[in-house]
Every structure is written in structure tokens, then in C-alpha cells.
Amino acid sequence: MARVSQEHLDARRRQILDAAALCFARNGFHATSMQDVLKEADLSAGAVYRYFSGKEELIAAIVGEVLGEVQSAFEEAARQSPPPPPDLLVASVLGRTLGLRESLTLDGVPAFPRLVVQVWTEIPRNDELAAVLGKGYAAIRAAWGRIVEAYQDAGTMRSDIHPDHVARTMIAAVLGFIAQQSLFGPAPVEVLRDGLRALMSVSAPESGV
């Protein structure tokens, strides 16, 4: 029997994950069956179960993959001296994350933002998924904290603000932007970039006037 190449295995795994992501984004986690995933992927049950045991493993793999990409991007930025400014950094990382999934669409609309919201709704009912997301969120917060410390060391950001407060705020801005896309339709990452740039330009009024 011919040996299956790693490239083939990776491509098949990608095919299954993308099919599952579309199904979850379209119908939600609980309304999606493994049969729906098989149909979307156009694969047999044996081909899919070779890689994933069920829906829980599929959604955990999707979430873990995205969080890993984002974490790696911010950790790479943290090693730069100094890191890119927040507006450019956020736009770059979010643009890359969305770009890798631009082929996943529902009725011509990007499916990834809807998938993110579906994942959020599942977290209170799924301890395994909550653990995966919690671990990834903590790692991204830590990476952002190191980025903020690098800004402060370079003198480009105030030093009297706790780095984790900035980290949480930046993550909230990105998640809120993704939620808006899910609710109100697509928007280019330049919208978030320009908004952050404008907020960064605000100066405190002089006191004692």
C-alpha cells in the first residue's frame, strides 16, 4: 500500500476543519451534526473520524489553531525593539487571521466573525472549550503585556498604566470589532486601525485653565 504523504494528511485535516467551521458558523454548534460536517467536507465517516472523534474535538481544534496563530504573532512583535505601534500591530495580526480564512464564506459573507460569536455562546456549556479558550486568552494577554512593557521602556507609552490593563483593552477592541462584523456585516481592518490611531492621538487638556 502506498504511503500517504504528510502534505496529503495536512490537506485532508484542513478540509475537515474548514468544513466544520462553515457548519458551526451557519447553524451553531448544537444544531450541527457530524453528518452535516461529512456532507460539507464531501468525505466518508471513516475519513473524518480518522482525524477527529467528534464535534467537541473539531471545535477545540479550530479555536486552538486560531489562538495559536494570534499568540505567535504577538509574541513575535514583543521581541521587536520597539514593537510596531498598536494601530499597525492590531491591523496586521487581525488582517492576517482574517486573510487566512477569507475563502470561508456564507452567502458571499465572511464566515469567521460568525464562527467567533458561535464559539462564545458555547463556552458556558463546554468545559473543554472554555479551558482551551482560557489558556489561549491568557497567553495572548501575557504577550500583549510584554509588548506594552516594550513601549514603556522605549518611552512611547505612559509608564503609570499597568500593562495588563492595556492588554485587556486591546483584546476587547479586537473582539468587539469582530462582533460588529458578525452582527452588522464586513468591514476592513483599516477601520479598526484608523480608529485606534485617532484615539492614540488624543491629548489631555491642559489643567488650570
Side-chain angles (χ1 to χ4, degrees):
M1 182 178 294
R3 184 178 179 180
V4 178
S5 68
Q6 187 61 47
E7 183 179 358
H8 174 81
L9 294 174
D10 292 344
R12 182 56 54 85
R13 187 176 188 275
R14 173 85 274 137
Q15 180 182 354
I16 297 168
L17 286 175
D18 287 349
L22 282 173
C23 290
F24 295 147
R26 182 187 296 119
N27 298 318
F29 182 75
H30 285 281
T32 295
S33 67
M34 282 301 290
Q35 191 61 39
D36 294 329
V37 176
L38 301 179
K39 182 177 180 181
E40 186 71 42
D42 194 23
L43 293 172
S44 68
V48 171
Y49 284 113
R50 176 181 181 181
Y51 295 86
F52 301 99
S53 63
K55 292 193 302 179
E56 289 77 9
E57 193 171 328
L58 276 166
I59 196 167
I62 292 169
V63 171
E65 180 181 63
V66 174
L67 291 174
E69 292 169 3
V70 174
Q71 177 187 344
S72 295
F74 285 133
E75 287 179 344
E76 179 183 346
R79 291 191 290 269
Q80 299 181 40
S81 183
D87 56 333
L88 297 181
L89 178 55
V90 167
S92 173
V93 174
L94 182 57
R96 187 187 315 173
T97 302
L98 296 175
L100 289 172
R101 293 158 181 84
E102 62 184 357
S103 63
L104 300 180
T105 61
L106 295 173
D107 299 324
V109 177
F112 182 70
R114 287 183 58 178
L115 175 64
V116 171
V117 173
Q118 295 288 2
V119 168
W120 292 344
T121 63
E122 178 59 18
I123 290 171
R125 297 186 292 261
N126 189 322
D127 292 340
E128 180 182 353
L129 181 60
V132 171
L133 195 64
K135 181 179 179 181
Y137 175 68
I140 292 171
R141 268 178 60 195
W144 251 114
R146 291 191 292 273
I147 291 170
V148 173
E149 290 172 351
Y151 292 149
Q152 293 172 334
D153 290 342
T156 58
M157 181 176 284
R158 288 173 49 176
S159 60
D160 60 335
I161 304 297
H162 196 289
D164 187 57
H165 296 184
V166 181
R168 285 175 175 266
T169 300
M170 297 307 300
I171 294 171
V174 173
L175 294 180
F177 185 70
I178 292 174
Q180 287 184 51
Q181 293 198 53
S182 175
L183 294 170
F184 309 119
V189 294
E190 288 77 16
V191 172
L192 180 59
R193 180 201 66 193
D194 293 348
L196 290 173
R197 183 173 298 169
L199 291 173
M200 289 161 55
S201 70
V202 174
S203 58
E206 295 183 6
S207 59
V209 177

